[in-house]
Amino acid sequence: MNSEDLTLKISPATKMVGVFGCPVKHSASPAMQNAAFLAAGLDYVYLPFEVKPDDIEPALNAVRILGFRGINLTIPHKETSIPFLDEISEEALKIKAVNTVMADSGKLRGFNTDIEGFLKPLVMEKKWPPEGKKAVILGAGGAARAVVFALLNEGAGEITIANRNIARAEELADFMKNIFPGSIIKTAGIADSSLHREISGSSLLVNCTPLGLKGETPLEDASCLGRGITVYDLIYRPSDTPLLTAARNRGADTIGGLGMLVYQGAASFRIWTSVDPPVDVMKKACEKAVKGVRL
Ligand code: NAP
């Protein structure tokens, strides 16, 4: 796809979608979604908009007034947008995070596709059904909230949330225990020595921290990793983080964050268009975009 193709296709009938975030300029979503619309022969265009934290209400009003089909929401708008939407899906309401908005007859309906985005690479591609399994989650921020919800909602047997700020891990555990009464959720500090025992006894480790973006790792000593554990790093740039390399060297199965990015985008695409998303096209466009190649 090049910009000329895209410009030529824009007409008064073109449906607009996009992403509101701050910052937003490194987003791979415009490349991924525009490639998908072209491949599917749909008259849509997807644009990035830098929306400051305090401007989310007027920005969402603009979605209504300007006739957008919908919008993605990313940091810092996933939670703060909720009071300004007309309807929220059950899942998004439960985890208090919306990443996809659909505008329908003047109403804004909020969804969370991060949950599906996280699960698809794990369940469909790696054949790892969470039911009854033990998992350790590193981090307790917004991404961890979607991940812990996704795993417990699929019947995971036990979750340990490990975070630098342990109070935040405990807060997330309490939040999830309210949604899933009776679930087993433990907490730990990310540097606790006891964490290694938890990881050794688990079959999934998910990194929901940004450690790995710049060559760091959330797990200095990777000796607890080995065959029988799947290590899932939500970071997608770089595609191979030090955690994934260490895990693979020790015989563990690994998943990078690109699949989650693609599948959450594919689910948004389906919400806006009611058309099956061209996932392979989206994956290729995303790979190019995260490598910094301009499409
Ligand atoms: P967030 O809400 O800001 O949470 C960040 C988490 O990382 C917190 O638990 C924080 O711990 C921890 N953390 C940050 N810096 C740390 C450090 N130096 N040492 C130890 N822990 C540290 O961010 P988020 O939205 O959850 O995103 C987390 C990561 O997931 C990001 O890298 C993001 O790009 C990635 N992500 C990927 C996808 C995808 O589609 N693949 C989707 C969503 C997010 P404290 O609570 O102690 O501060």
Side-chain angles (χ1 to χ4, degrees):
M1 183 183 69
N2 60 45
S3 55
E4 197 183 345
D5 289 338
L6 194 59
T7 310
L8 286 174
K9 280 186 155 286
I10 292 172
S11 78
T14 302
K15 294 189 176 70
M16 287 181 296
V17 283
V19 55
F20 290 169
C22 190
V24 81
K25 67 175 183 230
H26 298 301
S27 173
S29 294
M32 172 170 67
Q33 297 290 358
N34 286 320
F37 294 139
L38 275 183
L42 294 171
D43 189 10
Y44 278 66
V45 65
Y46 187 107
L47 295 164
F49 298 94
E50 181 153 319
V51 174
K52 302 257 174 341
D54 289 344
D55 289 338
I56 190 62
E57 183 179 7
L60 286 168
N61 279 336
V63 170
R64 264 185 248 268
I65 294 163
L66 300 177
F68 275 69
R69 181 64 174 151
I71 206 85
N72 279 139
L73 299 170
T74 186
I75 290 173
H77 304 306
K78 290 187 184 184
E79 188 168 350
T80 54
S81 59
I82 288 178
F84 311 116
L85 302 176
D86 301 300
E87 288 170 26
I88 319 264
S89 74
E90 201 183 317
E91 283 183 335
L93 198 58
K94 276 185 180 160
I95 68 163
K96 295 196 174 74
V98 167
N99 79 328
T100 303
V101 173
M102 156 90 152
D104 202 3
S105 312
K107 286 201 165 167
L108 299 185
R109 294 161 54 202
F111 301 85
N112 188 301
T113 68
D114 285 335
I115 299 163
E116 177 178 333
F118 166 73
L119 283 173
K120 282 235 162 124
L122 190 63
V123 178
M124 273 179 36
E125 292 181 5
K126 293 291 179 181
K127 314 286 179 224
W128 193 96
E131 199 175 346
K133 305 253 181 64
K134 279 191 186 183
V136 174
I137 313 304
L138 306 177
R145 192 151 41 140
V147 166
V148 174
F149 177 89
L151 292 171
L152 289 172
N153 205 34
E154 293 294 311
E158 185 181 310
I159 303 276
T160 300
I161 304 167
N163 199 40
R164 177 175 59 180
N165 174 350
I166 185 127
R168 208 172 167 201
E170 283 160 3
E171 223 172 89
L172 179 57
D174 289 343
F175 181 87
M176 290 297 162
K177 281 179 192 164
N178 269 329
I179 304 176
F180 301 100
S183 57
I184 304 172
I185 310 175
K186 301 179 185 172
T187 55
I190 203 165
D192 288 0
S193 54
S194 63
L195 187 60
H196 283 234
R197 235 186 357 262
E198 295 298 336
I199 295 172
S200 301
S202 298
S203 55
L204 179 70
L205 173 69
V206 189
N207 177 34
C208 302
T209 78
L211 294 174
L213 286 173
K214 293 180 187 148
E216 333 84 319
T217 174
L219 198 67
E220 288 299 340
D221 174 3
S223 59
C224 54
L225 303 178
R227 283 186 198 289
I229 187 161
T230 298
V231 178
Y232 192 157
D233 199 330
L234 297 201
I235 291 171
Y236 53 85
R237 191 190 277 126
S239 56
D240 217 13
T241 60
L243 175 66
L244 292 183
T245 307
R248 207 174 309 112
N249 288 343
R250 301 191 61 83
D253 205 357
T254 59
I255 311 179
L258 195 102
M260 175 172 176
L261 186 68
V262 170
Y263 282 110
Q264 62 78 31
S268 299
F269 177 101
R270 195 185 303 105
I271 287 170
W272 296 323
T273 66
S274 303
V275 168
D276 274 346
V279 174
D280 287 346
V281 169
M282 297 176 89
K283 208 174 260 181
K284 278 198 192 110
C286 224
E287 278 164 2
K288 277 191 191 171
V290 301
K291 278 185 196 145
V293 176
R294 200 173 153 72
L295 298 173

